[in-house]
């Protein structure tokens, strides 16, 4: 930091300290007068800014006019005027509304107290709604009460802060001063509710499965490890609920889903946070084609509800979510982009040579399936802008998926890509316990070879399959990424109220 910037920071801190001292002195004065706002426990906040604006009706000449009396609370965001009358902006959860505070209306004592209120203070008012000469719906205040004192001033130009991380670290301030941020999280709630309603209406049962696991199964990811003192065993924060949910299908449920947090001890970027929200669902007697249909219909439904249509903009790119999304196999997608056809390879060495021929260098030991997957990620993924289902993955990268009858080297799996990002992952679930045990053994060999994200053997899950699991379709969707898409948010941090942050100290 330059000396000039350092001096500016020090001056800002000194100014802030002075302002906070003044506010604390005002609080002390109120307390000495027996008007401590922190002693107030309740206010009749029966109205809100949105409803007031929608319900207000202007008086009609010649008709009896019944004044609209309201009681509303919120944060004081601006003050305009001097002397015996002041216009202010009051902000609640639903927006802002102008209020008009006049000495003759509230009385001299209340008005003198009001003049000392600071921006950021939380107040409660009662009054009558009217329309100003400028046409703005406002409230003529009759009573005003300080409900909470803001001891720290709000930033004046929050968008201009150089340290943008502060918006994530102090989300409470971000929500106060940036209305569009609040709108994003209102939309988040609407999307999550919409997912639940969609699945509930189609007969899915919402369930809860353990977050603390003894085996980190159901996905290829590095887990967080903790220790249970009483049992004296290491446990893992779940990386996926898959194996528990499929146990429920074995147990006789036909349609189940779970919405909740997963935890993966991996890198952080605009698409990844160590804890994130997903939903997984499983439906007996269905396959991955049914899961494609459901995924497409669900996202189209959400887009219509939240965005008002299926043609949206995401960070400057036009995305068309209208139905009939493209469906193409991974190998065909690679051929479409690069011109090479991995169907013509049968061995690891042949696949490795083909990857190198198009400039994809493969590090470490990798078998044919992993090589195909790495080529896809390197060459194809970023080209998938419009909604595309990539299906029929190599068996080596899909240890929990049913093989394709027409080519046992592949499995009935798809991932959904939009804007070059993955949004969903689905299988025709593997229900053959013998094959599943063999796949787990292959995964253990990979772990021993250095792949610490490979699956561990879950003997109890294999035992569950031995009792018989019907043919089943399964789907997992990254909820945070879906919210990013439907709210046009650049980073996953923009759709998490409190994203993971490295402590400043």
């Amino acid at each position: 930091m330059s000396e000039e910037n350092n001096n500016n920071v020090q001056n800002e801190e000194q100014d802030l300290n002075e302002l906070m001292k003044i506010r604390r002195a005002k609080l002390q004065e109120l307390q000495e007068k027996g008007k401590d706002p922190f002693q107030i426990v309740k206010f009749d906040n029966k109205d809100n800014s949105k409803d007031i604006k929608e319900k207000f009706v202007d008086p009609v000449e010649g008709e009896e006019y019944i004044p609209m009396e309201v009681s509303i609370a919120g944060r004081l965001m601006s003050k305009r005027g001097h002397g015996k009358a002041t216009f202010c902006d009051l902000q609640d959860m639903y927006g802002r509304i102008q209020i008009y505070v006049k000495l003759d209306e509230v009385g001299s004592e209340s008005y003198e107290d009001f003049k000392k209120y600071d921006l950021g203070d939380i107040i409660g008012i009662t009054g009558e709604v009217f329309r100003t000469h400028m046409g703005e719906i406002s409230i003529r205040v009759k009573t005003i009460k300080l409900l909470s004192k803001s001891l720290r001033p709000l930033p004046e130009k929050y968008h201009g802060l150089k340290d943008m991380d502060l918006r994530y670290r102090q989300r409470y301030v971000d929500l106060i001063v940036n209305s569009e941020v609040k709108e994003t999280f209102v939309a988040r709630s609407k999307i999550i509710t919409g997912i639940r309603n969609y699945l509930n209406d189609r007969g899915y049962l919402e369930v809860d499965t353990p977050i603390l696991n003894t085996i980190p199964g159901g996905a290829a990811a590095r887990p967080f490890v903790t220790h249970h003192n009483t049992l004296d065993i290491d446990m893992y924060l779940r990386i996926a609920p898959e194996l528990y949910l499929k146990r429920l299908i074995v147990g006789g449920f036909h349609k189940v889903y779970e919405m909740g947090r997963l935890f993966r001890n991996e890198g952080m970027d605009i698409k990844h946070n160590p804890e994130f929200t997903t939903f997984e669902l499983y439906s007996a007697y269905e396959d991955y084609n049914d899961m494609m249909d459901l995924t497409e219909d669900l996202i189209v439904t959400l887009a219509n509800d939240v965005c008002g249509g299926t043609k949206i903009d995401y960070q400057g790119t036009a995305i068309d979510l209208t139905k009939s999304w493209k469906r193409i196999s991974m190998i065909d997608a690679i051929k479409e982009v690069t011109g090479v056809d991995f169907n013509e390879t049968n061995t690891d060495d042949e696949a490795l040579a083909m990857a190198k021929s198009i400039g994809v260098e493969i590090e470490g030991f990798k078998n044919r399936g992993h090589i195909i997957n790495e080529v896809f990620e390197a060459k194809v993924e970023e080209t998938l802008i419009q909604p595309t289902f990539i299906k029929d993955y190599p068996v080596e990268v899909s240890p929990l998926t049913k093989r394709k009858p027409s080519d046992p080297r592949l499995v009935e799996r798809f991932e959904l890509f939009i804007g070059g990002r993955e949004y969903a992952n689905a299988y025709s679930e593997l229900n053959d316990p013998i094959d599943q045990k063999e796949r787990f053994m292959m995964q253990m060999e990979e772990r021993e070879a250095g792949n610490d994200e490979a699956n561990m053997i879950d003997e109890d899950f294999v035992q569950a399959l031995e009792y018989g699991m019907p043919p089943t379709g399964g789907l997992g969707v990254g909820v945070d990424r879906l919210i990013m898409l439907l709210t046009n948010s650049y980073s996953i941090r923009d759709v998490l109220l409190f994203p993971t942050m490295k402590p400043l100290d």
Side-chain angles (χ1 to χ4, degrees), residues 188 219 221 224 238-240 259-266 271-280 477-481 492 496 500:
R188 179 188 176 97
F224 286 94
R238 70 178 178 190
I239 57 175
M259 178 102 66
R261 291 277 183 162
L262 304 184
F263 307 85
R264 296 183 182 179
N265 194 359
E266 299 173 344
K271 298 182 293 183
H272 297 92
N273 193 69
E275 57 175 312
F276 56 98
T277 301
T278 69
F279 74 86
E280 284 197 22
V477 174
V479 173
D480 303 312
R481 288 191 189 179
I492 193 171
L496 298 176
T500 303

Side-chain angles (χ1 to χ4, degrees), residues 17-193:
N17 289 335
E18 287 301 316
L19 290 172
M20 291 179 65
K21 287 179 182 178
I22 293 171
R23 293 191 177 211
R24 285 181 180 269
K26 290 181 180 180
L27 173 63
Q28 184 174 353
E29 181 182 348
L30 287 168
Q31 291 171 331
E32 290 171 352
K33 292 180 178 180
K35 298 179 179 181
D36 185 353
F38 298 126
Q39 294 298 315
I40 296 174
V41 297
K42 185 177 180 180
F43 180 80
D44 184 16
N45 184 35
K46 66 184 181 67
D47 300 296
N48 66 70
S49 60
K50 182 174 180 287
D51 285 349
I52 290 171
K53 291 177 181 179
E54 290 178 350
K55 294 177 181 178
F56 175 72
V57 178
D58 290 300
V60 177
E61 188 175 351
E63 295 184 6
E64 181 183 4
Y65 179 66
I66 301 176
M68 183 179 178
E69 303 284 346
V70 296
S71 177
I72 182 175
R75 194 178 294 273
L76 193 61
M77 298 302 291
S78 71
K79 296 173 74 174
R80 302 176 296 281
H82 303 282
K84 298 180 179 181
T86 306
F87 281 100
C88 307
D89 284 325
L90 182 72
Q91 177 174 292
D92 64 6
M93 176 178 173
Y94 303 95
R96 293 191 183 189
I97 191 166
Q98 182 171 263
I99 66 173
Y100 178 57
V101 187
K102 190 176 181 183
L103 170 63
D104 294 345
E105 293 283 351
V106 300
S108 58
E109 182 178 348
S110 288
Y111 195 75
E112 285 303 310
D113 288 342
F114 160 73
K115 288 198 297 184
K116 297 178 182 179
Y117 293 174
D118 293 302
L119 300 188
D121 286 353
I122 296 174
I123 61 174
I125 65 166
T126 63
E128 179 182 321
V129 185
F130 71 105
R131 189 185 297 275
T132 67
H133 294 301
M134 300 298 291
E136 184 170 355
I137 296 174
S138 307
I139 303 171
R140 182 179 289 109
V141 176
K142 292 185 177 180
T143 66
I144 185 168
K145 180 179 291 187
L146 182 64
L147 304 178
S148 182
K149 184 68 184 168
S150 175
L151 299 179
R152 185 179 290 268
L154 297 174
E156 293 182 8
K157 296 181 179 179
Y158 207 64
H159 280 297
L161 287 178
K162 294 179 180 179
D163 183 8
M164 295 305 293
D165 278 358
L166 193 59
R167 293 182 61 179
Y168 305 129
R169 294 182 187 278
Q170 298 182 358
R171 180 67 82 188
Y172 40 90
V173 181
D174 195 23
L175 290 166
I176 293 170
V177 300
N178 290 322
S179 60
E180 69 276 10
V181 174
K182 188 175 292 181
E183 291 169 4
T184 294
F185 290 102
V186 171
R188 179 188 176 97
S189 178
K190 185 176 181 179
I191 291 166
I192 289 175
T193 300

Side-chain angles (χ1 to χ4, degrees), residues 67 173 177 183 251 277 300 326 358 370 400 411 421 423-424 460 495:
V173 181
V177 300
E183 291 169 4
T277 301
V300 166
K326 183 176 181 178
I358 54 174
H370 283 288
L400 301 168
V411 294
R421 293 178 181 173
Y423 285 84
D460 181 75
V495 300

Side-chain angles (χ1 to χ4, degrees), residues 195-210:
I195 293 169
R196 283 195 164 99
N197 289 342
Y198 181 94
L199 297 177
N200 293 343
D201 289 346
R202 285 155 181 79
Y204 284 86
L205 177 71
E206 184 171 11
V207 298
D208 296 305
T209 64

